[in-house]
Amino acid sequence: MSPLLLAQSLPAQAAQPTGGGTAWLLPLMLVAMVLLLWLPMRRQKKAVAQVKEKQAAMGPGTEVMTNYGLYGTVRSIDRDTNKVVLEIAPGTAVTVHLQTVTTVVEDEAAPAAAAPETRTEASVIEPDATGAGSTPVDPLDDDARRDPGQRND
């Protein structure tokens, strides 16, 4: 090739668009789409597995909470028909779908109930009829400050 022909062909090649600079964008976008679909599905599978594990551990006498906030004690479970009978109050039982029972209630209040309740608040001294403060009053007891008066029931 002559140098003149070579000099004419170089600018012609440089003027043509190649499109090779964005070839990495398509695989990157595909990887991002796969991750956006796969990660939430993985998280959901873990959550479903945890709920099934808790439901398998449930039995009569277990304190539970439904996903709509109803607390009760399991009285019976029928896994074939997906029904659970919950006692929500003494003598009151409701039947709910097994999938709604999602939380086993832990006895977190038991240690607090076993310890005696101690009050660390100081008494408030209220002035008596003469204006001198001499009568200690419990700050949580409003009955000592309130005059019952006449009721219009």
Side-chain angles (χ1 to χ4, degrees):
M1 247 183 159
S2 71
L4 181 61
L5 189 58
L6 186 62
Q8 290 176 349
S9 67
L10 286 178
Q13 288 177 355
Q16 292 178 351
T18 57
T22 58
W24 58 272
L25 189 60
L26 181 64
L28 181 67
M29 289 183 71
L30 288 175
V31 168
M33 297 250 323
V34 167
L35 285 176
L36 287 174
L37 294 173
W38 181 67
L39 289 175
M41 287 185 345
R42 184 175 150 217
R43 202 173 301 134
Q44 184 179 9
K45 279 185 181 181
K46 284 183 179 181
V48 168
Q50 285 178 346
V51 168
K52 284 187 179 185
E53 180 181 312
K54 288 179 183 178
Q55 287 176 350
M58 279 190 315
T62 306
E63 295 284 327
V64 295
M65 182 184 76
T66 61
N67 61 355
Y68 49 90
L70 182 68
Y71 287 89
T73 305
V74 175
R75 290 296 162 222
S76 66
I77 298 176
D78 186 4
R79 296 189 194 280
D80 295 333
T81 59
N82 290 325
K83 291 184 180 180
V84 178
V85 177
L86 297 178
E87 183 177 18
I88 57 173
T92 306
V94 295
T95 303
V96 296
H97 196 277
L98 180 61
Q99 288 180 345
T100 63
V101 182
T102 56
T103 306
V104 176
V105 177
E106 305 286 329
D107 277 339
E108 297 171 1
E117 188 175 319
T118 59
R119 293 173 97 173
T120 58
E121 298 176 16
S123 299
V124 175
I125 305 293
E126 250 186 37
D128 60 0
T130 62
S134 62
T135 310
V137 176
D138 187 7
L140 299 177
D141 185 18
D142 290 339
D143 293 335
R145 299 180 197 157
R146 195 176 329 132
D147 182 31
Q150 184 177 359
R151 295 180 61 175
N152 296 328
D153 288 354

